[in-house]
Amino acid sequence: MGVAGLVIWLWQSTPQMEGNITVSGPTAPVEILRDDFGIPHIIAESLNDAYFGLGFVHAQDRMFQMEQQRRLSQGRLSEVLGSSTLEYDRFLRLLDLHRASQASVAALDPATRESLNAYAAGVNAFIGTHDGALSPEFTLLLAADPAPWSAADSIAWLKVMALHLSGNWREEALRAAMIDEIGAEKTASFFPDVPAATPSILDAAEGRAFFDLSSLLNDLLPPAGNGSNNWVVDGTHTSSGMPLLANDPHLGFSIPAIWYLAHLEAPGLSVAGATLPGIPLVIVGTNGEIAWGVTNTGPDTQDLFIERLVPEDNSRYLTPDGSESFAGREEVIEVRFGEDVTVSMLETRHGPVLTGIRDQVDGLVGDDEAIALSWTMLQDDDRTIEAGLALHTASNWPEFVASARPYAGPQQNIVYADRRGNIGLLAPATIPIRSSGDGLIPVPGWTGESDWIGAIPFHDLPGTFNPETGMIATANDKLVAQDYPYLLGHQWQPGYRAGRIRDLLAERSDHDVASFRSMQLDEASLFAMAMLSYALEAVPQSANGKTLQGMLANWDGDMAADSAAPTVYQAWYRELTRAIYADDLGELFHDAWWFKPVFVLDVMQADPHGWCLNAETGAETSCADLAGIAFDEAAAFLIERFGADPAGWQWGDVHGLKLRHRLYGMIPGIDAMTGVDLTMGGDRFTVSTSGFVFNSDSRAFATVHGPVLRAVVDLAEPVTGYFVILPGQSGNPFSPYYDNLVERWYANDPVPIPMDRAHIKVRHRLVLEPGIP
């Protein structure tokens, strides 16, 4: 095929957006009106026909992304990508999310099942009727169309997203390994705001095994990113006199975008906002009567249990009532360009056993023990997607609350506003109640002492309605007071982002869409301001270290892209964390090397556990000494990485975003053509968040995480949601909607999604005609 032929073939892989297509599934014609930004407005004559249309457009624009997500959830990436993804396949096969998702389908009410099936039928209609190449990735990697989509595939991806937003079991393993390395008391000080009397687990398993487990989970479940921001105010704080709601969920930057914008209109259904390809839910949006936005709550919904095997029969394990047989199965993982791999999977009453993921942890504990995972999202009665669909049609606070009852997870702080002027917050989920313990470390499973004995009652979950302040803001900070009667979790973010948001909200009483957009771009770091005094009081020893310190003398903590001061601060802070605890943790340091703001501030204020002493030499170094040394080391690092001229240390360049397509980004010459490069301000603790690589010298400061979606919903008439994603609606580089939203995202100039047909600026009109294609 010549170059011209190749270009024509690739161009033909873009979906049809005009005319008529005959499809099997809908009961009446479904109109798909795309606006200037590629956002589809799906107009149908029934609710399920609208979901059919959503499935169709998701597949048109993101089918390869959906197929990749499905293969990830099923542990089938290696069939396409070879042995490089084998560990991930083992891990996901172990969790068996696909089976759990099939069980969840059976637990749903009939109406929800019908809607899920209608969505799947829409996906399959596209697969069955597309003309030309499905998308370039399928031809390059699969050479075949994907298998039919199913309702379970949608639920499985929701569970993967929940896994991505969880991960406290990774910290359980790290804590256990640290206890073995430095003791329980010092370990507790590394994780502030958790009970100090962490019990020792050394009588339950050897610490070295937990080092292996910590290392494994750090690879498979990297530390969580920055979470998200949302806030809502009532009419006493807005220029219109009606509520205003903002949300910017923070996830990993990627091409294609994680989110997809859409509007669905049918009798009994009118909803617009941000969806996830593969799932028929508007996660952040409005239905004209109410609006909602989400942030991750961070509850403890996962526990590791040490199971003790029956000495004379290792096919059984001990329970409080005697012994039980392991449930077992074998999984065959097909490996492209390699030999198939057969993995034995075991399960106990607590959940899957963490063997078979990686050879080095097959003997994770002694011959007479095993480790099992309990996680709420593995339950067969998970009806989260039922709650999401019910939310689409809720029109007031009681209906909003009722829609959340079946919600299992991941727990979200859902802020709410309605046209009656009300605002509120609800954090629904299945959160376990333990018979004892705090879920901080792996616990013995044979005694039953730490078993889950129920879940927090729905009416006791955190929530508020029309608070006296007229304002609600969450940024993954602690959601409940000390007197909350249940254990919700330990993984709270410090309140720097939330505090800054509340300060900005309180500055004026006439907020509007423009002021909320401006807040979302705010780059002031309250944490940097808190650390600045320790930086300025330090005594560097080298000339370069002193030069760096001088660059912070008049800095105000603004993480602006066009300044070198943020780079100096971040390099100093990073070296300070290394100096404080690298010598104490030894081999564990890489897994534990993270921002740790509360811990570092605590240590700098007082160091009763001797973190700043040199653990290797016993030298009497103080934390102030380390702050000076950190400037010397930061100077050496910056000069080596970015050159001796501070003009080359602009934070936006050092901290830039280099976004690449998952496939084309691996092809030299094509990667830049299909990628996005942006200078970035902000950091982990600013409202305009941009999380970066911390525990890698070669990739330090590279932006990887942030507000991949920004939304503001104005409840004044006409109710309008404003949304923007990065980089665009389509995953196909040959589509005009592949990266057309980059500039709008960068400037936070969101796109309105009108819900009145008369106000939709139609660029393309496609009609799905019912029939036999």
Side-chain angles (χ1 to χ4, degrees), residues 10-69:
L10 291 172
W11 178 80
Q12 289 176 338
S13 69
T14 59
Q16 179 180 342
M17 291 183 285
E18 305 272 3
N20 297 63
I21 302 177
T22 301
V23 293
S24 176
T27 60
V30 178
E31 271 191 295
I32 300 172
L33 311 176
R34 291 182 187 260
D35 64 17
D36 290 339
F37 306 102
I39 300 171
H41 298 257
I42 300 162
I43 301 174
E45 295 185 19
S46 71
L47 179 146
N48 285 337
D49 280 358
Y51 290 129
F52 177 97
L54 182 62
F56 192 89
V57 296
H58 274 174
Q60 278 191 309
D61 288 325
R62 304 287 188 88
M63 190 65 239
F64 184 76
Q65 180 184 24
M66 292 166 61
E67 175 66 9
Q68 190 178 40
Q69 292 170 176

Side-chain angles (χ1 to χ4, degrees), residues 551 564 638-640 642-650 654:
M551 294 175 66
L638 290 177
I639 291 169
E640 179 182 355
F642 306 109
D645 184 0
W649 300 350
Q650 297 289 310
V654 169

Side-chain angles (χ1 to χ4, degrees), residues 40 52 97 183 237 266 314 342 359 372 405 486 495 525 563 622 640 650 699 735 771:
F52 177 97
L97 297 184
H237 299 281
N314 284 355
T342 301
D359 292 342
R405 286 188 174 275
Y486 302 98
S525 173
S563 171
S622 68
E640 179 182 355
Q650 297 289 310
R699 297 187 60 228
S735 166

Side-chain angles (χ1 to χ4, degrees), residues 647-703:
W649 300 350
Q650 297 289 310
W651 182 232
D653 297 327
V654 169
H655 177 236
L657 173 62
K658 186 176 182 179
L659 192 56
R660 295 295 181 263
H661 189 281
R662 293 170 180 170
L663 176 59
Y664 306 122
M666 297 185 291
I667 305 173
I670 302 296
D671 59 338
M673 293 172 57
T674 57
V676 174
D677 293 331
L678 296 171
T679 59
M680 298 287 289
D683 75 353
R684 178 176 171 80
F685 305 106
T686 56
V687 178
S688 180
T689 306
S690 51
F692 55 86
V693 176
F694 195 78
N695 62 347
S696 167
D697 287 338
S698 62
R699 297 187 60 228
F701 311 131
T703 296

Side-chain angles (χ1 to χ4, degrees), residues 587-727:
E587 290 184 85
L588 282 170
F589 173 64
H590 181 271
D591 293 352
W593 196 15
W594 201 232
F595 294 88
K596 304 298 295 181
V598 178
F599 164 73
V600 172
L601 270 175
D602 285 351
V603 168
M604 295 304 292
Q605 291 164 3
D607 186 25
H609 300 286
W611 284 100
C612 293
L613 299 178
N614 192 309
E616 296 174 353
T617 67
E620 294 288 333
T621 52
S622 68
C623 297
D625 294 334
L626 296 188
I629 293 170
F631 272 116
D632 300 330
E633 296 296 329
F637 177 76
L638 290 177
I639 291 169
E640 179 182 355
R641 277 289 308 277
F642 306 109
D645 184 0
W649 300 350
Q650 297 289 310
W651 182 232
D653 297 327
V654 169
H655 177 236
L657 173 62
K658 186 176 182 179
L659 192 56
R660 295 295 181 263
H661 189 281
R662 293 170 180 170
L663 176 59
Y664 306 122
M666 297 185 291
I667 305 173
I670 302 296
D671 59 338
M673 293 172 57
T674 57
V676 174
D677 293 331
L678 296 171
T679 59
M680 298 287 289
D683 75 353
R684 178 176 171 80
F685 305 106
T686 56
V687 178
S688 180
T689 306
S690 51
F692 55 86
V693 176
F694 195 78
N695 62 347
S696 167
D697 287 338
S698 62
R699 297 187 60 228
F701 311 131
T703 296
V704 293
H705 190 279
V708 291
L709 161 72
R710 293 192 183 104
V712 178
V713 182
D714 188 354
L715 274 295
E717 291 290 354
V719 176
T720 305
Y722 300 83
F723 304 86
V724 67
I725 60 175
L726 181 75

